[in-house]
Amino acid sequence: SYELTQPPSVSVSPGQTARITCSGDALSKEYVYWYQEKTGQAPVMVIKKDSERPSGIPERFFGSSSGTRATLIISRAQAEDEADYYCQSVDSSRSHGWVFGGGTKLTVL
Amino acid sequence: QVELVESGGGVAQPGGSLRLSCVASGFIFRTYGMYWVRQAPGKGLEWMAVVSHDGHNKYYADSVSGRFTVSRDNSKNTLYLQMDSLRVGDTAVYFCAKDGGYCSSVTCPIGDHYYYSGMDVWGQGATVTVSS
């Protein structure tokens, strides 16, 4: 299928490591991208091509992908990391187009 | 700096039409693919459409195929989304976004192959409300 599945919510204590997963068949063939969306703001790309950090993204953000599962890892989580996170990939044949996961609400408390 | 500014949002009746615009600045617009993504109230992100750097290749989500049309005017650094036969379910904030990919050649001519690479810059969004 070309759906991407994420857990609806993840909680982490300040200073601890948060892990957000994303699963889907598309990930075995295509890159995954991760976006952070804070309330009332436009999304921001935090990971591209499975594991690369765009310019300006803190080194605390890591990405990995293996088979049909990708993981966004936020180390030393801070209050400012509280946001919705979305994974995204694409159907290489383009017949299903681009797809987002349902999003994960990260709570830092 | 790189910036995308959407406009054209508003209220439309079911069955009506609206056209969104997205003006780009701070980068060479004609060398990048561009997206439209929407977010219904309280919901997640939903990809709508993408257009290649030269406007020749367009792809749509099934939910809007045949009703929405994406286009671009590279001479005006502007991306468009023509929305026809609007439904209540189309109510959302609509974002335009720049692709982070590249053309196969440096000059990126019309017809050049383009490699997509995620949405690296987003606009602030335009609100569309479809209601009777």
Side-chain angles (χ1 to χ4, degrees):
Chain A
S1 71
Y2 287 90
E3 296 179 346
L4 297 178
T5 301
Q6 299 180 234
S9 62
V10 168
S11 296
V12 65
S13 299
Q16 299 304 302
T17 298
R19 292 177 174 84
I20 299 173
T21 58
C22 175
S23 299
D25 291 345
L27 303 184
S28 64
K29 299 178 180 178
E30 294 288 341
Y31 289 121
V32 67
Y33 301 83
W34 290 93
Y35 305 89
Q36 175 194 69
E37 186 183 34
K38 296 182 179 180
T39 302
Q41 299 184 21
V44 172
M45 177 187 280
V46 294
I47 293 291
K48 62 181 180 179
K49 294 184 178 180
D50 291 350
S51 60
E52 297 180 14
R53 259 189 320 274
S55 174
I57 300 302
E59 293 182 358
R60 302 182 292 102
F61 286 80
F62 297 88
S64 68
S65 185
S66 178
T68 61
R69 185 183 178 103
T71 304
L72 174 67
I73 301 166
I74 307 171
S75 63
R76 303 183 302 281
Q78 302 178 5
E80 67 189 45
D81 300 330
E82 191 162 288
D84 293 323
Y85 291 85
Y86 296 89
C87 60
Q88 175 256 311
S89 190
V90 63
D91 168 20
S92 56
S93 73
R94 303 290 187 260
S95 61
H96 295 276
W98 280 248
V99 62
F100 285 96
T104 299
K105 171 65 178 178
L106 177 67
T107 300
V108 181
L109 48 69
Chain B
Q1 76 275 21
V2 178
E3 189 175 24
L4 300 172
V5 179
E6 300 96 336
S7 62
V11 180
Q13 292 190 336
S17 298
L18 281 175
R19 187 176 83 155
L20 302 181
S21 300
C22 169
V23 177
S25 60
F27 64 100
I28 304 174
F29 181 72
R30 66 171 183 81
T31 66
Y32 291 97
M34 295 292 296
Y35 301 91
W36 287 101
V37 175
R38 73 182 180 186
Q39 186 169 38
K43 302 298 184 181
L45 301 174
E46 181 185 15
W47 167 75
M48 291 287 93
V50 63
V51 59
S52 58
H53 67 290
D54 56 7
H56 282 195
N57 295 306
K58 305 174 183 180
Y59 302 95
Y60 299 92
D62 290 343
S63 58
V64 302
S65 182
R67 299 189 299 121
F68 290 11
T69 302
V70 61
S71 62
R72 62 191 297 162
D73 185 338
N74 286 345
S75 69
K76 296 181 178 179
N77 288 353
T78 302
L79 174 73
Y80 302 99
L81 184 67
Q82 177 66 40
M83 302 184 292
D84 298 320
S85 302
L86 282 164
R87 304 168 180 169
V88 172
D90 294 322
T91 294
V93 174
Y94 285 74
F95 298 98
C96 64
K98 169 187 168 291
D99 183 77
Y102 54 93
C103 296
S104 60
S105 63
V106 174
T107 56
C108 204
I110 294 173
D112 200 17
H113 187 76
Y114 184 85
Y115 298 90
Y116 292 93
S117 185
M119 302 156 193
D120 65 350
V121 180
W122 294 65
Q124 284 301 308
T127 300
V128 171
T129 302
V130 184
S131 173
S132 55

